């Protein structure tokens, strides 16, 4: 796929210059954010809503309620999950950019049904680790591109799963 260099330059200049926000105003102790996320997983898609609370300028607690769906191996898959844990921001990567490291616990109820109505349901628990690159569009709104690897004790379709996605974060205080 060929990318037009001029179009890419315009998109990048818009992204890096929206409201010229400064990172020193974006993470602070006591800050609360509402989150909306969407991810591609190895099974299908995962959507969620949640919240994030900063206990310090660089450590936050978070939770996310999610719904995952897909059609692996000609079957129907759906899961409801709760992820909870913390994010650590070890470094600011420049104006309005942060590198985030994540460690989350995860619980879920999952169901898979094939075309002949044979189904299997499981309760699942485990954890996820990964990271993300967060960019503040202004002092109240951020986008985070993230990748997580999940490790589970029991899962309908294996014990590992990746997620790659985008989260919109909105400061509510």
């Amino acid at each position: 796929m060929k990318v037009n260099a001029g179009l890419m330059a315009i998109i990048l200049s818009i992204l890096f210059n929206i409201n010229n926000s400064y990172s020193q105003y974006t993470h602070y102790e006591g800050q609360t954010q509402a989150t909306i996320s969407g991810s591609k997983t190895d099974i299908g898609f995962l959507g969620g809503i949640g919240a994030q609370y900063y206990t310090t300028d660089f450590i936050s607690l978070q939770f996310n309620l999610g719904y995952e769906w897909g059609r692996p191996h000609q079957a129907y898959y759906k899961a409801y999950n709760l992820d909870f844990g913390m994010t650590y921001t070890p470094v600011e990567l420049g104006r309005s950019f942060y590198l985030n490291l994540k460690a989350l616990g995860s619980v879920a109820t999952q169901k898979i049904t094939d075309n002949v109505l044979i189904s299997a349901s499981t309760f699942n628990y485990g954890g996820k680790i990964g990271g993300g690159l967060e960019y503040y569009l202004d002092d109240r709104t951020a986008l985070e591109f993230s990748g997580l690897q999940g490790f589970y004790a029991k899962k309908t379709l294996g014990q590992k799963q990746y997620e790659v996605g985008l989260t919109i974060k909105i400061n509510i205080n």
Side-chain angles (χ1 to χ4, degrees):
M1 178 171 83
K2 228 177 187 183
V3 176
N4 182 332
L7 178 61
M8 184 61 92
I10 291 170
I11 291 170
L12 289 174
S13 71
I14 291 170
L15 178 66
F16 290 115
N17 290 304
I18 294 174
N19 292 334
N20 291 320
S21 61
Y22 294 95
S23 59
Q24 65 262 30
Y25 301 117
T26 53
H27 283 187
Y28 56 88
E29 185 176 339
Q31 175 185 19
T32 304
Q33 296 175 323
T35 62
I36 301 169
S37 60
S39 298
K40 172 69 178 105
T41 69
D42 52 353
I43 295 171
F45 298 94
L46 174 66
I49 58 171
Q52 191 165 352
Y53 175 77
Y54 284 85
T55 59
T56 70
D57 291 350
F58 300 104
I59 296 175
S60 67
L61 303 175
Q62 67 182 73
F63 79 92
N64 189 56
L65 297 170
Y67 175 71
E68 183 179 11
W69 68 97
R71 279 202 69 189
H73 312 294
Q74 303 301 315
Y76 297 96
Y77 174 83
K78 65 181 177 179
Y80 299 95
N81 63 40
L82 170 65
D83 297 336
F84 52 91
M86 69 172 263
T87 297
Y88 173 63
T89 306
V91 66
E92 296 175 16
L93 297 175
R95 186 186 238 176
S96 303
F97 278 97
Y98 289 97
L99 174 66
N100 295 325
L101 303 176
K102 298 173 177 282
L104 304 169
S106 182
V107 294
T109 177
Q110 303 166 332
K111 184 173 185 175
I112 187 166
T113 307
D114 69 12
N115 291 331
V116 291
L117 300 177
I118 297 172
S119 67
S121 296
T122 61
F123 177 77
N124 183 24
Y125 57 92
K128 299 177 182 179
I129 58 171
L133 181 62
E134 183 177 22
Y135 176 71
Y136 273 81
L137 300 172
D138 58 31
D139 63 344
R140 299 194 64 79
T141 309
L143 296 176
E144 181 179 36
F145 298 97
S146 62
L148 295 169
Q149 177 67 51
F151 301 94
Y152 303 99
K154 181 169 63 171
K155 187 165 175 60
T156 308
L157 295 169
Q159 292 182 307
K160 295 180 183 176
Q161 177 178 318
Y162 72 84
E163 297 174 20
V164 177
L166 174 67
T167 301
I168 300 169
K169 299 179 176 185
I170 301 167
N171 295 346
I172 57 177
N173 65 344

